[in-house]
Amino acid sequence: MKTQNKIAIIGAAGFLVAGFVYSHFYLHKKSRKELIEIARELAYTWKKELELDFEQTEKLEDLIIEYTLKKNEIINATALTEDEIIFKLKSIQKAEHNKLQKLMTDKQFQKYLELNKKISRKS
């Protein structure tokens, strides 16, 4: 094979890889932006329902993002059985509740749990 052909093949492969990498970053950036927007909306909704202050709302938004990513990682893990997924999700939820309990007053956290139960029943 001529050197010119090798360079052309390497160039085409490089172009394809660059396109893949760019699209991968673009999709992740878009997904991340959507997640941030959703987390912000949820945090604002909880702010109104639980009468959270500005600092609590910001921390809640960060927790929503953190735990959504963790839960999605578990749900998308193909090597796990359904029972393993449920077990891991329950442990993630327990950790999430521990952080939320530290973030909120006792009254706010109890109201959060009550509202969360109502939402779960409707689903």
Side-chain angles (χ1 to χ4, degrees), residues 6 10 14 26 32-33 48 50 56 63 65 70-71 79 88-89 94 99 106 108 121 123:
K6 289 180 184 177
I10 291 171
Y26 175 77
R32 185 175 42 232
K33 187 177 178 182
K48 291 189 294 183
L50 304 174
Q56 287 175 309
L63 287 175
I65 292 169
K70 288 180 179 184
K71 290 172 187 174
K88 287 183 180 253
L89 286 174
K94 186 176 180 179
K99 285 192 177 183
D106 288 338
Q108 289 170 329
R121 287 182 191 143
S123 298

Short mmCIF file of all heavy atoms in Angstrom, two decimals, residues 6 10 14 26 32-33 48 50 56 63 65 70-71 79 88-89 94 99 106 108 121 123:
data_model
loop_
_atom_site.label_atom_id
_atom_site.label_comp_id
_atom_site.label_asym_id
_atom_site.label_seq_id
_atom_site.Cartn_x
_atom_site.Cartn_y
_atom_site.Cartn_z
N LYS A 6 -2.06 5.15 2.90
CA LYS A 6 -2.02 4.95 4.35
C LYS A 6 -2.39 6.24 5.08
O LYS A 6 -3.16 6.23 6.04
CB LYS A 6 -0.64 4.48 4.79
CG LYS A 6 -0.32 3.06 4.39
CD LYS A 6 1.07 2.68 4.87
CE LYS A 6 1.44 1.29 4.39
NZ LYS A 6 2.82 0.91 4.77
N ILE A 10 -5.56 6.75 7.53
CA ILE A 10 -5.35 7.23 8.91
C ILE A 10 -6.11 8.55 9.12
O ILE A 10 -6.74 8.76 10.15
CB ILE A 10 -3.85 7.37 9.22
CG1 ILE A 10 -3.20 5.99 9.27
CG2 ILE A 10 -3.63 8.13 10.52
CD1 ILE A 10 -1.69 6.01 9.36
N GLY A 14 -9.06 9.09 11.72
CA GLY A 14 -8.94 10.17 12.70
C GLY A 14 -10.15 11.09 12.66
O GLY A 14 -10.66 11.52 13.70
N TYR A 26 -20.86 16.32 23.07
CA TYR A 26 -22.05 17.14 22.85
C TYR A 26 -23.26 16.51 23.52
O TYR A 26 -24.02 17.20 24.22
CB TYR A 26 -22.31 17.31 21.34
CG TYR A 26 -23.58 18.03 21.05
CD1 TYR A 26 -23.66 19.42 21.19
CD2 TYR A 26 -24.73 17.35 20.64
CE1 TYR A 26 -24.84 20.10 20.94
CE2 TYR A 26 -25.91 18.02 20.38
CZ TYR A 26 -25.96 19.38 20.53
OH TYR A 26 -27.13 20.05 20.28
N ARG A 32 -26.24 16.63 30.54
CA ARG A 32 -25.88 17.26 31.80
C ARG A 32 -26.68 18.56 31.97
O ARG A 32 -27.20 18.83 33.05
CB ARG A 32 -24.37 17.54 31.82
CG ARG A 32 -23.87 18.10 33.12
CD ARG A 32 -22.37 18.24 33.16
NE ARG A 32 -21.81 18.75 31.93
CZ ARG A 32 -20.83 18.17 31.25
NH1 ARG A 32 -20.28 17.08 31.67
NH2 ARG A 32 -20.38 18.71 30.14
N LYS A 33 -26.83 19.32 30.90
CA LYS A 33 -27.59 20.58 30.95
C LYS A 33 -29.05 20.29 31.30
O LYS A 33 -29.64 20.99 32.12
CB LYS A 33 -27.48 21.31 29.62
CG LYS A 33 -28.08 22.68 29.61
CD LYS A 33 -27.87 23.38 28.29
CE LYS A 33 -28.52 24.74 28.28
NZ LYS A 33 -28.37 25.42 26.99
N LYS A 48 -40.51 25.63 47.69
CA LYS A 48 -41.84 26.17 47.99
C LYS A 48 -42.60 25.26 48.96
O LYS A 48 -43.20 25.75 49.91
CB LYS A 48 -42.64 26.36 46.70
CG LYS A 48 -42.11 27.47 45.81
CD LYS A 48 -43.03 27.78 44.66
CE LYS A 48 -43.12 26.64 43.69
NZ LYS A 48 -43.94 26.91 42.51
N LEU A 50 -41.47 23.00 51.11
CA LEU A 50 -40.84 22.80 52.42
C LEU A 50 -40.35 24.08 53.07
O LEU A 50 -39.78 24.05 54.15
CB LEU A 50 -39.65 21.82 52.28
CG LEU A 50 -39.98 20.45 51.67
CD1 LEU A 50 -38.71 19.65 51.47
CD2 LEU A 50 -40.97 19.69 52.54
N GLN A 56 -30.24 26.06 51.50
CA GLN A 56 -30.80 24.71 51.49
C GLN A 56 -31.20 24.31 50.07
O GLN A 56 -30.97 23.17 49.66
CB GLN A 56 -32.03 24.63 52.40
CG GLN A 56 -31.74 24.65 53.87
CD GLN A 56 -33.03 24.69 54.68
OE1 GLN A 56 -33.90 25.54 54.43
NE2 GLN A 56 -33.15 23.78 55.62
N LEU A 63 -27.63 17.77 45.60
CA LEU A 63 -27.94 16.39 46.02
C LEU A 63 -28.81 15.68 44.98
O LEU A 63 -28.63 14.49 44.72
CB LEU A 63 -28.63 16.38 47.38
CG LEU A 63 -27.75 16.70 48.58
CD1 LEU A 63 -28.59 16.78 49.85
CD2 LEU A 63 -26.66 15.66 48.74
N ILE A 65 -28.84 16.16 41.78
CA ILE A 65 -27.96 15.79 40.67
C ILE A 65 -27.09 14.59 41.05
O ILE A 65 -27.01 13.61 40.31
CB ILE A 65 -27.07 16.99 40.25
CG1 ILE A 65 -27.94 18.09 39.62
CG2 ILE A 65 -25.98 16.55 39.28
CD1 ILE A 65 -27.24 19.41 39.42
N LYS A 70 -26.10 8.67 40.48
CA LYS A 70 -25.81 7.38 41.12
C LYS A 70 -26.91 6.36 40.82
O LYS A 70 -26.61 5.20 40.54
CB LYS A 70 -25.68 7.57 42.64
CG LYS A 70 -24.40 8.26 43.05
CD LYS A 70 -24.31 8.42 44.55
CE LYS A 70 -23.01 9.10 44.93
NZ LYS A 70 -22.82 9.20 46.39
N LYS A 71 -28.16 6.80 40.90
CA LYS A 71 -29.27 5.88 40.64
C LYS A 71 -29.27 5.44 39.18
O LYS A 71 -29.50 4.25 38.90
CB LYS A 71 -30.60 6.55 40.99
CG LYS A 71 -30.79 6.74 42.48
CD LYS A 71 -32.02 7.58 42.78
CE LYS A 71 -32.13 7.91 44.24
NZ LYS A 71 -33.23 8.84 44.54
N ALA A 79 -24.85 -5.82 34.38
CA ALA A 79 -24.38 -7.04 35.05
C ALA A 79 -25.18 -7.34 36.32
O ALA A 79 -25.01 -8.41 36.90
CB ALA A 79 -22.90 -6.91 35.39
N LYS A 88 -29.34 -2.10 45.86
CA LYS A 88 -28.43 -0.95 45.72
C LYS A 88 -29.19 0.37 45.71
O LYS A 88 -28.75 1.35 46.30
CB LYS A 88 -27.56 -1.09 44.48
CG LYS A 88 -26.48 -2.15 44.63
CD LYS A 88 -25.59 -2.21 43.41
CE LYS A 88 -24.54 -3.26 43.58
NZ LYS A 88 -23.23 -2.70 43.83
N LEU A 89 -30.33 0.39 45.05
CA LEU A 89 -31.13 1.62 45.03
C LEU A 89 -31.64 1.98 46.42
O LEU A 89 -31.67 3.15 46.80
CB LEU A 89 -32.31 1.48 44.05
CG LEU A 89 -31.96 1.54 42.57
CD1 LEU A 89 -33.20 1.25 41.73
CD2 LEU A 89 -31.36 2.88 42.19
N LYS A 94 -31.19 5.45 51.16
CA LYS A 94 -30.90 5.65 52.58
C LYS A 94 -29.81 6.70 52.77
O LYS A 94 -29.94 7.59 53.62
CB LYS A 94 -30.47 4.32 53.22
CG LYS A 94 -30.28 4.39 54.70
CD LYS A 94 -29.96 3.04 55.30
CE LYS A 94 -29.78 3.18 56.80
NZ LYS A 94 -29.47 1.90 57.42
N LYS A 99 -28.37 12.50 54.09
CA LYS A 99 -27.88 13.83 53.72
C LYS A 99 -29.00 14.86 53.75
O LYS A 99 -28.80 15.99 54.19
CB LYS A 99 -27.22 13.80 52.34
CG LYS A 99 -25.85 13.16 52.37
CD LYS A 99 -25.10 13.41 51.09
CE LYS A 99 -23.70 12.81 51.19
NZ LYS A 99 -22.91 13.09 49.99
N ASP A 106 -36.04 19.13 61.20
CA ASP A 106 -36.84 17.92 61.41
C ASP A 106 -38.23 18.07 60.78
O ASP A 106 -38.74 17.15 60.15
CB ASP A 106 -36.98 17.61 62.90
CG ASP A 106 -35.69 17.10 63.51
OD1 ASP A 106 -34.83 16.59 62.76
OD2 ASP A 106 -35.55 17.21 64.75
N GLN A 108 -39.13 20.03 58.24
CA GLN A 108 -39.01 19.99 56.77
C GLN A 108 -38.80 18.57 56.28
O GLN A 108 -39.42 18.15 55.30
CB GLN A 108 -37.84 20.87 56.32
CG GLN A 108 -38.07 22.35 56.46
CD GLN A 108 -36.81 23.15 56.22
OE1 GLN A 108 -35.71 22.71 56.50
NE2 GLN A 108 -36.98 24.36 55.70
N ARG A 121 -47.21 6.85 45.87
CA ARG A 121 -48.49 6.15 45.76
C ARG A 121 -49.23 6.47 44.48
O ARG A 121 -49.91 5.64 43.92
CB ARG A 121 -49.38 6.51 46.96
CG ARG A 121 -48.92 5.87 48.24
CD ARG A 121 -49.84 6.21 49.37
NE ARG A 121 -49.24 5.80 50.63
CZ ARG A 121 -49.35 6.46 51.75
NH1 ARG A 121 -50.05 7.58 51.81
NH2 ARG A 121 -48.77 6.03 52.84
N SER A 123 -47.82 7.14 41.65
CA SER A 123 -47.11 6.58 40.50
C SER A 123 -47.51 5.17 40.22
O SER A 123 -47.93 4.40 40.94
CB SER A 123 -45.60 6.59 40.76
OG SER A 123 -45.16 7.92 40.92
#
